[in-house]
Amino acid sequence: MNDVSNSLAIRSLADRLIAAETDRSACPPIREEIAALSVGDAVSAAYAVQNEVNRRRSDAGERIVGRKIGLTSKAVQKQLGVDSPDFGTLFAAMAIGDGAEISLGGLIQPKVEAEIAFILGRDLTFERNTTADILRAVDYAVAAIEVVDSRIARWDIRLLDTVADNGSSARFVLGTRPLSLGAVDLFNCTMSLDRAGQEVSKGAGAACLGNPVNAACWLADMMVAIGTPLRAGDVVMTGALGPMAVVTEPGTYTANIEGFGSVRAVFTA
Ligand SMILES: C[C@H](O)CC(=O)C(=O)O
C-alpha cells in the first residue's frame, strides 16, 4: 500500500471507531485491516488509527489530561497473546468524580478495573527513565477506577484492535486522597473491587508489571520515543491490579486499595 491509500485506510478505520462510539453500536474487529496496512510494524499502524481518532477529539476542543497504560497484567497479556503493555489517551471529558453518576446509556459494553493513578509534578523527558526519575516526577498517587468499553463487538479484541481503540478506554474516576509515594507500598498493596458487598475483582500492586512504577517507566520512555513526553500535571492510569469486571446493570463499584482508601464508580440506567 502507498502512503496515500494508507492514510485513507487509517481515516476510514478511525471513522468506524468514532461511529461505534457515537451510535453506541460496536463494530467488528479491525485487526486484519490494520495488519494489511503495514508490511512490518502493524502496531505502529494501530497507533496511527488511535492518533487519528484522538486528533479529531482534540480538534473538536477536547482537552488531553493524561494517558492510560493497558495490558499490564500477565493474565490480560496472555489473553491477547502479547508481552508488552499499550497506552491510550485520557481526555477531560472522560473524567468522572468519585461517586458521580455514569450513565450506562452512554456506554456500549463497559467493564471496570481498579488501579493506581499517578499525577505528575514534573515533565519526564529523558530518553530512558529510571525508577528514581519516576519517583521524583510523581507529585501524588490516588486510587482509581478505569471504565473500559471496547468499541469492538463482544470484546473480540487482539492487540491491534485495542491499540487502535485508545486502549479500550472510556471513563476514569480518581480517588480524592492524594498520597506521596513514600507513604504507600506499591508492590504489596492489596486491591479489592466490590459491587453490592460482593467482590468482583481482586489483586495487588505487583500485578501491574511487577510494580506500577515499572509501568510508568515503560510509558515515560514510550512517550519520549514518539515525541510527546509526559508533562507535569498529567494523570497516568498505571494499569489494572486485577481482572476486569463486566458491568451489566446499574450499581456502585467500590475499589479499596490498601493504604489508598476507596473510590467509587456509580452506574445508572
Ligand atoms: C483492554 C484494556 O487495555 C485493559 C486495561 O485497561 C488494562 O489491562 O489495564
Side-chain angles (χ1 to χ4, degrees), residues 68-72 76 113 146 148 155 157 162 167-168 239-240 244:
K68 68 138 299 174
I69 312 171
L71 314 182
T72 48
V76 182
E113 51 188 36
E146 182 181 3
V148 284
W155 276 90
I157 59 170
T162 188
S168 312
M244 298 180 277

Side-chain angles (χ1 to χ4, degrees), residues 20-37:
E21 163 98 19
T22 309
D23 303 343
R24 314 280 181 252
S25 171
C27 62
I30 56 175
R31 53 187 172 265
E32 283 172 17
E33 285 157 271
I34 294 171
L37 286 175

Side-chain angles (χ1 to χ4, degrees), residues 68-73 76-77 80 86-87 113-115 146 148 150 155 157 162-163 166-169 208 237-242 244:
K68 68 138 299 174
I69 312 171
L71 314 182
T72 48
S73 82
V76 182
Q77 287 188 0
L80 300 195
D86 70 348
F87 72 88
E113 51 188 36
E115 46 194 273
E146 182 181 3
V148 284
S150 182
W155 276 90
I157 59 170
T162 188
V163 165
N166 202 25
S168 312
S169 196
C208 177
M237 298 285 285
T238 56
L241 303 186
M244 298 180 277

Side-chain angles (χ1 to χ4, degrees), residues 184-196:
V184 281
D185 182 344
L186 290 171
F187 178 86
N188 284 310
C189 62
T190 54
M191 176 281 289
S192 172
L193 180 62
D194 301 337
R195 181 186 181 280

Side-chain angles (χ1 to χ4, degrees), residues 178-227:
L179 294 174
S180 90
L181 291 190
V184 281
D185 182 344
L186 290 171
F187 178 86
N188 284 310
C189 62
T190 54
M191 176 281 289
S192 172
L193 180 62
D194 301 337
R195 181 186 181 280
Q198 297 276 354
E199 187 172 71
V200 294
S201 177
K202 67 176 180 177
C208 177
L209 277 195
N211 189 311
V213 170
N214 299 343
C217 233
W218 174 85
L219 179 70
D221 291 357
M222 174 63 95
M223 298 316 292
V224 170
I226 62 172

Side-chain angles (χ1 to χ4, degrees), residues 1-12 36-39 45 48:
M1 259 194 182
N2 63 33
D3 283 353
V4 174
S5 51
N6 244 354
S7 73
L8 280 174
I10 285 165
R11 287 210 296 273
S12 124
L37 286 175
S38 155
V39 185

